[in-house]
mmCIF file of all heavy atoms in Angstrom:
data_model
loop_
_atom_site.group_PDB
_atom_site.id
_atom_site.type_symbol
_atom_site.label_atom_id
_atom_site.label_comp_id
_atom_site.label_asym_id
_atom_site.label_seq_id
_atom_site.Cartn_x
_atom_site.Cartn_y
_atom_site.Cartn_z
ATOM 1 N N ALA W 128 -32.817 116.231 16.114
ATOM 2 C CA ALA W 128 -31.480 116.122 16.262
ATOM 3 C C ALA W 128 -31.129 116.274 17.788
ATOM 4 O O ALA W 128 -30.247 115.544 18.331
ATOM 5 C CB ALA W 128 -30.736 117.209 15.468
ATOM 6 N N VAL W 129 -31.731 117.162 18.500
ATOM 7 C CA VAL W 129 -31.525 117.338 19.968
ATOM 8 C C VAL W 129 -31.981 116.076 20.596
ATOM 9 O O VAL W 129 -31.181 115.556 21.514
ATOM 10 C CB VAL W 129 -32.230 118.575 20.498
ATOM 11 C CG1 VAL W 129 -32.221 118.642 21.988
ATOM 12 C CG2 VAL W 129 -31.691 119.880 19.954
ATOM 13 N N GLU W 130 -33.096 115.537 20.277
ATOM 14 C CA GLU W 130 -33.632 114.295 20.889
ATOM 15 C C GLU W 130 -32.639 113.110 20.714
ATOM 16 O O GLU W 130 -32.352 112.337 21.523
ATOM 17 C CB GLU W 130 -35.044 113.985 20.353
ATOM 18 C CG GLU W 130 -35.620 112.850 20.976
ATOM 19 C CD GLU W 130 -37.050 112.662 20.350
ATOM 20 O OE1 GLU W 130 -37.129 111.978 19.301
ATOM 21 O OE2 GLU W 130 -38.035 112.997 20.970
ATOM 22 N N GLU W 131 -32.255 113.034 19.387
ATOM 23 C CA GLU W 131 -31.297 111.909 19.029
ATOM 24 C C GLU W 131 -29.927 111.948 19.761
ATOM 25 O O GLU W 131 -29.431 111.036 20.272
ATOM 26 C CB GLU W 131 -31.115 111.866 17.615
ATOM 27 C CG GLU W 131 -30.211 110.806 17.187
ATOM 28 C CD GLU W 131 -30.701 109.314 17.551
ATOM 29 O OE1 GLU W 131 -31.976 109.140 17.678
ATOM 30 O OE2 GLU W 131 -29.938 108.390 17.570
ATOM 31 N N THR W 132 -29.501 113.220 20.002
ATOM 32 C CA THR W 132 -28.227 113.442 20.785
ATOM 33 C C THR W 132 -28.467 112.964 22.184
ATOM 34 O O THR W 132 -27.604 112.258 22.716
ATOM 35 C CB THR W 132 -27.834 114.925 20.747
ATOM 36 O OG1 THR W 132 -27.602 115.359 19.301
ATOM 37 C CG2 THR W 132 -26.632 115.212 21.602
ATOM 38 N N GLU W 133 -29.562 113.260 22.754
ATOM 39 C CA GLU W 133 -29.882 112.877 24.139
ATOM 40 C C GLU W 133 -30.034 111.322 24.155
ATOM 41 O O GLU W 133 -29.568 110.700 25.155
ATOM 42 C CB GLU W 133 -31.105 113.682 24.726
ATOM 43 C CG GLU W 133 -30.835 114.992 24.859
ATOM 44 C CD GLU W 133 -29.799 115.279 25.938
ATOM 45 O OE1 GLU W 133 -29.673 114.556 26.985
ATOM 46 O OE2 GLU W 133 -28.987 116.173 25.687
ATOM 47 N N ARG W 134 -30.732 110.733 23.197
ATOM 48 C CA ARG W 134 -30.916 109.342 23.219
ATOM 49 C C ARG W 134 -29.534 108.552 23.162
ATOM 50 O O ARG W 134 -29.393 107.584 23.841
ATOM 51 C CB ARG W 134 -31.799 108.957 21.943
ATOM 52 C CG ARG W 134 -32.145 107.527 21.866
ATOM 53 C CD ARG W 134 -33.264 107.213 20.855
ATOM 54 N NE ARG W 134 -34.506 107.893 21.066
ATOM 55 C CZ ARG W 134 -34.975 108.883 20.290
ATOM 56 N NH1 ARG W 134 -34.421 109.359 19.283
ATOM 57 N NH2 ARG W 134 -36.136 109.370 20.739
ATOM 58 N N ARG W 135 -28.621 109.135 22.507
ATOM 59 C CA ARG W 135 -27.285 108.563 22.374
ATOM 60 C C ARG W 135 -26.451 108.847 23.538
ATOM 61 O O ARG W 135 -25.453 108.013 23.790
ATOM 62 C CB ARG W 135 -26.539 108.997 21.162
ATOM 63 C CG ARG W 135 -27.149 108.602 19.830
ATOM 64 C CD ARG W 135 -26.231 109.017 18.699
ATOM 65 N NE ARG W 135 -26.919 108.846 17.470
ATOM 66 C CZ ARG W 135 -26.424 109.186 16.224
ATOM 67 N NH1 ARG W 135 -25.106 109.585 16.164
ATOM 68 N NH2 ARG W 135 -27.092 109.069 15.148
ATOM 69 N N THR W 136 -26.623 109.868 24.303
ATOM 70 C CA THR W 136 -25.676 110.240 25.326
ATOM 71 C C THR W 136 -26.222 110.389 26.715
ATOM 72 O O THR W 136 -25.490 110.223 27.685
ATOM 73 C CB THR W 136 -24.975 111.666 25.027
ATOM 74 O OG1 THR W 136 -26.036 112.687 24.994
ATOM 75 C CG2 THR W 136 -24.263 111.678 23.704
ATOM 76 N N ARG W 137 -27.552 110.477 26.931
ATOM 77 C CA ARG W 137 -28.010 110.692 28.299
ATOM 78 C C ARG W 137 -27.793 109.538 29.183
ATOM 79 O O ARG W 137 -27.712 109.791 30.326
ATOM 80 C CB ARG W 137 -29.606 111.004 28.073
ATOM 81 C CG ARG W 137 -30.418 111.273 29.343
ATOM 82 C CD ARG W 137 -29.883 112.537 30.147
ATOM 83 N NE ARG W 137 -30.165 113.800 29.585
ATOM 84 C CZ ARG W 137 -30.549 114.777 30.185
ATOM 85 N NH1 ARG W 137 -30.888 114.709 31.476
ATOM 86 N NH2 ARG W 137 -30.696 115.969 29.614
ATOM 87 N N ALA W 138 -27.808 108.321 28.636
ATOM 88 C CA ALA W 138 -27.619 107.112 29.556
ATOM 89 C C ALA W 138 -26.280 107.188 30.160
ATOM 90 O O ALA W 138 -26.015 106.516 31.179
ATOM 91 C CB ALA W 138 -27.898 105.852 28.724
ATOM 92 N N GLN W 139 -25.227 107.977 29.634
ATOM 93 C CA GLN W 139 -23.962 107.958 30.187
ATOM 94 C C GLN W 139 -23.782 109.165 31.153
ATOM 95 O O GLN W 139 -22.720 109.364 31.840
ATOM 96 C CB GLN W 139 -22.805 108.186 29.115
ATOM 97 C CG GLN W 139 -22.582 106.936 28.254
ATOM 98 C CD GLN W 139 -23.591 106.690 27.248
ATOM 99 O OE1 GLN W 139 -24.152 107.559 26.466
ATOM 100 N NE2 GLN W 139 -24.133 105.420 27.071
ATOM 101 N N SER W 140 -24.851 109.955 31.241
ATOM 102 C CA SER W 140 -24.880 111.063 32.227
ATOM 103 C C SER W 140 -24.909 110.573 33.567
ATOM 104 O O SER W 140 -25.370 109.420 33.819
ATOM 105 C CB SER W 140 -25.957 112.057 31.899
ATOM 106 O OG SER W 140 -27.243 111.404 32.248
ATOM 107 N N GLU W 141 -24.454 111.349 34.585
ATOM 108 C CA GLU W 141 -24.588 110.954 35.897
ATOM 109 C C GLU W 141 -24.985 112.130 36.819
ATOM 110 O O GLU W 141 -24.341 113.222 36.711
ATOM 111 C CB GLU W 141 -23.204 110.333 36.450
ATOM 112 C CG GLU W 141 -23.387 109.803 37.857
ATOM 113 C CD GLU W 141 -22.106 109.116 38.333
ATOM 114 O OE1 GLU W 141 -21.367 108.608 37.479
ATOM 115 O OE2 GLU W 141 -21.937 109.150 39.531
ATOM 116 N N TRP W 142 -25.987 111.912 37.675
ATOM 117 C CA TRP W 142 -26.416 112.885 38.659
ATOM 118 C C TRP W 142 -26.795 112.146 39.864
ATOM 119 O O TRP W 142 -27.752 111.367 39.825
ATOM 120 C CB TRP W 142 -27.527 113.742 37.994
ATOM 121 C CG TRP W 142 -27.759 115.024 38.762
ATOM 122 C CD1 TRP W 142 -26.998 116.114 38.848
ATOM 123 C CD2 TRP W 142 -28.854 115.351 39.596
ATOM 124 N NE1 TRP W 142 -27.531 117.107 39.488
ATOM 125 C CE2 TRP W 142 -28.692 116.600 40.128
ATOM 126 C CE3 TRP W 142 -30.063 114.637 39.850
ATOM 127 C CZ2 TRP W 142 -29.716 117.198 40.915
ATOM 128 C CZ3 TRP W 142 -30.996 115.218 40.670
ATOM 129 C CH2 TRP W 142 -30.854 116.555 41.169
ATOM 130 N N PHE W 143 -26.177 112.413 41.002
ATOM 131 C CA PHE W 143 -26.482 111.697 42.267
ATOM 132 C C PHE W 143 -26.469 110.216 42.110
ATOM 133 O O PHE W 143 -27.309 109.501 42.610
ATOM 134 C CB PHE W 143 -27.807 112.138 42.805
ATOM 135 C CG PHE W 143 -27.716 113.490 43.631
ATOM 136 C CD1 PHE W 143 -27.956 114.661 42.947
ATOM 137 C CD2 PHE W 143 -27.454 113.487 44.945
ATOM 138 C CE1 PHE W 143 -27.883 115.822 43.610
ATOM 139 C CE2 PHE W 143 -27.363 114.664 45.608
ATOM 140 C CZ PHE W 143 -27.591 115.889 44.942
ATOM 141 N N GLY W 144 -25.467 109.714 41.291
ATOM 142 C CA GLY W 144 -25.287 108.271 41.235
ATOM 143 C C GLY W 144 -25.933 107.540 40.115
ATOM 144 O O GLY W 144 -25.897 106.401 40.115
ATOM 145 N N GLY W 145 -26.832 108.270 39.300
ATOM 146 C CA GLY W 145 -27.591 107.574 38.300
ATOM 147 C C GLY W 145 -27.757 108.475 37.142
ATOM 148 O O GLY W 145 -27.169 109.529 37.030
ATOM 149 N N ILE W 146 -28.538 107.929 36.074
ATOM 150 C CA ILE W 146 -28.689 108.834 34.923
ATOM 151 C C ILE W 146 -29.373 110.145 35.290
ATOM 152 O O ILE W 146 -30.304 110.138 36.170
ATOM 153 C CB ILE W 146 -29.640 108.034 33.909
ATOM 154 C CG1 ILE W 146 -28.897 106.789 33.554
ATOM 155 C CG2 ILE W 146 -29.999 108.888 32.746
ATOM 156 C CD1 ILE W 146 -29.742 105.726 32.703
ATOM 157 N N ASP W 147 -29.013 111.185 34.668
ATOM 158 C CA ASP W 147 -29.598 112.533 35.004
ATOM 159 C C ASP W 147 -31.001 112.634 34.460
ATOM 160 O O ASP W 147 -31.245 112.626 33.226
ATOM 161 C CB ASP W 147 -28.722 113.611 34.424
ATOM 162 C CG ASP W 147 -29.289 114.962 34.789
ATOM 163 O OD1 ASP W 147 -30.227 115.187 35.357
ATOM 164 O OD2 ASP W 147 -28.477 115.984 34.368
ATOM 165 N N VAL W 148 -31.896 112.587 35.358
ATOM 166 C CA VAL W 148 -33.369 112.701 35.032
ATOM 167 C C VAL W 148 -33.927 114.026 35.614
ATOM 168 O O VAL W 148 -35.166 114.285 35.525
ATOM 169 C CB VAL W 148 -34.244 111.544 35.499
ATOM 170 C CG1 VAL W 148 -33.930 110.238 34.805
ATOM 171 C CG2 VAL W 148 -34.148 111.259 36.968
ATOM 172 N N HIS W 149 -32.986 114.870 36.129
ATOM 173 C CA HIS W 149 -33.468 116.133 36.713
ATOM 174 C C HIS W 149 -33.340 117.301 35.779
ATOM 175 O O HIS W 149 -34.207 118.098 35.754
ATOM 176 C CB HIS W 149 -32.570 116.243 37.990
ATOM 177 C CG HIS W 149 -32.939 117.534 38.708
ATOM 178 N ND1 HIS W 149 -34.251 117.616 39.367
ATOM 179 C CD2 HIS W 149 -32.350 118.748 38.929
ATOM 180 C CE1 HIS W 149 -34.323 118.893 39.926
ATOM 181 N NE2 HIS W 149 -33.138 119.504 39.674
ATOM 182 N N HIS W 150 -32.192 117.353 35.103
ATOM 183 C CA HIS W 150 -31.991 118.458 34.139
ATOM 184 C C HIS W 150 -32.672 118.169 32.816
ATOM 185 O O HIS W 150 -31.977 117.588 31.832
ATOM 186 C CB HIS W 150 -30.549 118.705 34.064
ATOM 187 C CG HIS W 150 -29.920 119.110 35.335
ATOM 188 N ND1 HIS W 150 -29.362 118.223 36.056
ATOM 189 C CD2 HIS W 150 -29.873 120.271 35.961
ATOM 190 C CE1 HIS W 150 -28.855 118.783 37.230
ATOM 191 N NE2 HIS W 150 -29.191 120.182 37.095
ATOM 192 N N VAL W 151 -33.989 118.495 32.713
ATOM 193 C CA VAL W 151 -34.731 118.019 31.570
ATOM 194 C C VAL W 151 -35.534 119.141 30.851
ATOM 195 O O VAL W 151 -36.324 118.878 29.931
ATOM 196 C CB VAL W 151 -35.725 116.933 31.933
ATOM 197 C CG1 VAL W 151 -34.969 115.694 32.348
ATOM 198 C CG2 VAL W 151 -36.605 117.305 33.092
ATOM 199 N N PHE W 152 -35.287 120.440 31.319
ATOM 200 C CA PHE W 152 -36.058 121.526 30.658
ATOM 201 C C PHE W 152 -35.093 122.263 29.691
ATOM 202 O O PHE W 152 -34.102 122.755 29.917
ATOM 203 C CB PHE W 152 -36.539 122.496 31.784
ATOM 204 C CG PHE W 152 -37.595 121.883 32.663
ATOM 205 C CD1 PHE W 152 -37.162 121.340 33.867
ATOM 206 C CD2 PHE W 152 -38.839 121.679 32.306
ATOM 207 C CE1 PHE W 152 -38.152 120.864 34.703
ATOM 208 C CE2 PHE W 152 -39.794 121.189 33.012
ATOM 209 C CZ PHE W 152 -39.480 120.727 34.319
#
Side-chain angles (χ1 to χ4, degrees):
V129 168
E130 182 180 84
E131 181 60 24
T132 298
E133 291 301 317
R134 191 171 287 115
R135 292 188 195 178
T136 62
R137 182 60 69 138
Q139 287 80 44
S140 68
E141 187 176 332
W142 195 71
F143 279 91
I146 296 170
D147 185 353
V148 294
H149 181 68
H150 299 93
V151 294
F152 294 99

